[in-house]
Amino acid sequence: MAAAAAAPLLSVFLRLGEMEKKRNAECSLEEWQAKWKWSNGRQGGIPLPTCATDQACAPFQFQLACEFVDTEEFQRLRDLKQLGLTYLVYPGAVHTRFEHSLGVYQLAGEAMQHLQMNQGKELGIDRVDVQTVKLAGLLHDIGHGPFSHLFEHEFLPRVDPGSTSKWSHEHMSALLLNNIVDKHAIDIEPDYLKIVKEMIIASSKFSTTEGAKEKRFLYDIVANGRNGIDVDKFDYIDRDSRACGLGSNFQHWRLLQGMRVMGDEICYPAKDYLSVHKLFTTRADLHRTVYTHAKVKAVELMLVDALLEANDYLGIALHAEDPEEFWKLDDTIVKSIETAPNDELKKAKEIIQRIRRRQLYKFCNQYSVPKDKLEHFKDITAQDIVCSQKSSKVLLKEEDVAVSNVKIDLTRGRDNPLERVKFFKDSGCEEKFTINEDRVSHLLPACNQDRIVRVYAKKPELVEAVSEAFENLQVRMYGEKTQVHDTPTKKRRMRFE
């Protein structure tokens, strides 16, 4: 459904590109804009382009966007599912990074349109500002690896534990952007390209925007490193909720229409405090319900094991070091491994076959880390589980156990992100301020982070032994079992059918 809904948007891009080529010599920009005005409509939950009578919708901007879209590096996003393996639990979650990128491009344009309409002269927003922000939205995810965050946060750290400090999909997006411009001879000013890349990495550990002196607010629209409110989240929260059949009360249009720049910082009406809070809590709910679903994590753990088995032969991780090779990696790598005749891939193929046949790693149990232990908590490992085994009919080994350490927060760890959001009283007010949550509601959560430890047995006959060891670990660490209930007896006695 998501792919079908994205088709009209793609056709708009392609049609505008062809039209621009034909009309450039025939009429002026003003004449072109007068003939082509698009309503701010919606189709299939995906926003369609909006064209107003300002330079934000100039045809050459569409043409430049099309030049990036019509490359193999960008088209690769069609083969990267937005939610990785989540579709094996939520069948509707088959949308890709391709339509998400188009959606962020659109929302970035809407944000700039609102700012330009209300404060354009005051802020000095020009055509280049609009163009760079929209391009950052379009290209912000081209650096994602196979199955999106799984590649970055699960696979690469297992290959090289030090990789988490030197690799990110945002940084790869910037590197790929350089390659695309050079390879396809795209005509964009080097200074503008530099700004686009800075906007893409603005929320990552590679961010260089702290020293930005002019129009710092522009760097907070696509990837907001200051407080986490950005159009990337606006799009994926709505898109993921729809795809998974979940309702969402978050209304991004309220924030888009109310946003105002004060002191080079995007601020929001005080009356929208709960709307901002809803953004963060809805994202956290998606993490808990969808992204870190126990079955989803089981499949992810299995696929990571399969990729690790195949890595030495295929050199998968080496692709992450070279942008010219990286773009060749996408979700189809699973089918490549699965159908390869090579004996070196036998173990990887066996794991993938188990996924196909739904013979997944068996979820044994989980516990939430006590609130007073969050600050000094360290990830639990398979070794910790094995070392907690006291007595059992079988002797566990580390390769028998899989552990998932889940962290769910409101984007800023244990801190409340709303403490970094500035508000204003009304449109005529020039004062910005933060709001203490206890002045709004006493129902808001007092803690902003959850840490959940889940343990899995790689073979069903080991569920009982793994469950007992996991319970021993909890008693040793906290003096009691912190899991909600014991592992069901039926699950303890499971075998492969």
Side-chain angles (χ1 to χ4, degrees), residues 401-412:
V401 181
V403 181
S404 175
N405 292 276
V406 175
K407 181 170 68 173
I408 302 173
D409 57 37
L410 301 182
T411 72
R412 301 203 65 84

Side-chain angles (χ1 to χ4, degrees), residues 289-356:
T289 309
V290 178
Y291 310 151
T292 65
H293 187 286
K295 277 287 194 297
V296 172
K297 298 306 293 185
V299 181
E300 288 184 353
L301 289 167
M302 294 183 74
L303 183 60
V304 170
D305 283 348
L307 294 177
L308 288 171
E309 291 291 348
N311 184 57
D312 288 342
Y313 184 71
L314 298 179
I316 301 170
L318 295 177
H319 287 65
E321 301 174 6
D322 183 1
E324 293 184 3
E325 294 297 319
F326 180 78
W327 75 269
K328 300 173 185 178
L329 283 179
D330 56 44
D331 293 358
T332 61
I333 189 172
V334 169
K335 179 62 70 174
S336 299
I337 295 173
E338 191 176 20
T339 58
N342 312 77
D343 291 337
E344 293 86 349
L345 298 175
K346 182 180 178 181
K347 289 185 178 180
K349 288 161 66 174
E350 289 175 350
I351 297 174
I352 294 174
Q353 186 180 76
R354 283 185 58 182
I355 295 175
R356 299 292 193 196

Side-chain angles (χ1 to χ4, degrees), residues 172-195:
M172 179 54 72
S173 292
L175 295 177
L176 269 175
L177 188 49
N178 288 334
N179 276 33
I180 293 173
V181 170
D182 294 340
K183 179 179 177 180
H184 301 279
I186 294 177
D187 186 14
I188 181 172
E189 290 291 331
D191 289 345
Y192 300 165
L193 180 63
K194 180 175 181 289
I195 292 173

Side-chain angles (χ1 to χ4, degrees), residues 30 71 93 96 121 207 314 332 374 435 464 486 497:
E30 290 75 14
T71 63
T96 69
K121 292 183 179 180
S207 175
L314 298 179
T332 61
L374 284 172
I435 298 178
E464 184 171 11
D486 292 340
E497 296 179 358

Side-chain angles (χ1 to χ4, degrees), residues 275-484:
S275 293
V276 175
H277 189 271
K278 179 67 71 173
L279 165 68
F280 297 121
T281 56
T282 302
R283 174 185 173 275
D285 288 342
L286 281 170
H287 272 270
R288 183 183 302 279
T289 309
V290 178
Y291 310 151
T292 65
H293 187 286
K295 277 287 194 297
V296 172
K297 298 306 293 185
V299 181
E300 288 184 353
L301 289 167
M302 294 183 74
L303 183 60
V304 170
D305 283 348
L307 294 177
L308 288 171
E309 291 291 348
N311 184 57
D312 288 342
Y313 184 71
L314 298 179
I316 301 170
L318 295 177
H319 287 65
E321 301 174 6
D322 183 1
E324 293 184 3
E325 294 297 319
F326 180 78
W327 75 269
K328 300 173 185 178
L329 283 179
D330 56 44
D331 293 358
T332 61
I333 189 172
V334 169
K335 179 62 70 174
S336 299
I337 295 173
E338 191 176 20
T339 58
N342 312 77
D343 291 337
E344 293 86 349
L345 298 175
K346 182 180 178 181
K347 289 185 178 180
K349 288 161 66 174
E350 289 175 350
I351 297 174
I352 294 174
Q353 186 180 76
R354 283 185 58 182
I355 295 175
R356 299 292 193 196
R357 297 178 179 180
R358 207 68 174 183
Q359 297 173 345
L360 308 180
Y361 292 169
K362 296 301 178 182
F363 171 67
C364 297
N365 219 317
Q366 69 178 43
Y367 74 84
S368 293
V369 178
K371 190 190 307 184
D372 60 341
K373 305 294 183 182
L374 284 172
E375 184 175 358
H376 302 292
F377 175 77
K378 294 182 179 179
D379 284 353
I380 302 300
T381 66
Q383 184 181 41
D384 294 327
I385 305 296
V386 172
C387 292
S388 298
Q389 188 179 24
K390 292 182 178 179
S391 61
S392 182
K393 299 177 182 177
V394 295
L395 182 63
L396 292 175
K397 294 179 288 188
E398 286 186 42
E399 54 265 32
D400 296 326
V401 181
V403 181
S404 175
N405 292 276
V406 175
K407 181 170 68 173
I408 302 173
D409 57 37
L410 301 182
T411 72
R412 301 203 65 84
R414 297 175 62 228
D415 297 327
N416 182 358
L418 278 95
E419 294 175 354
R420 300 179 65 111
V421 180
K422 299 295 177 57
F423 296 89
F424 57 89
K425 184 170 59 175
D426 54 45
S427 58
C429 180
E430 296 300 325
E431 178 188 0
K432 61 179 180 178
F433 50 85
T434 57
I435 298 178
N436 293 328
E437 58 184 13
D438 59 357
R439 294 189 177 186
V440 178
S441 172
H442 296 299
L443 298 177
L444 301 180
C447 185
N448 300 298
Q449 185 183 71
D450 274 342
R451 297 298 297 265
I452 302 169
V453 180
R454 294 195 183 113
V455 66
Y456 299 80
K458 295 188 178 182
K459 298 177 182 178
E461 59 268 24
L462 298 177
V463 168
E464 184 171 11
V466 172
S467 298
E468 290 177 357
F470 188 50
E471 292 171 2
N472 294 337
L473 173 73
Q474 296 170 60
V475 173
R476 178 168 60 84
M477 292 182 65
Y478 309 115
E480 62 179 347
K481 290 191 290 186
T482 55
Q483 62 193 35
V484 175

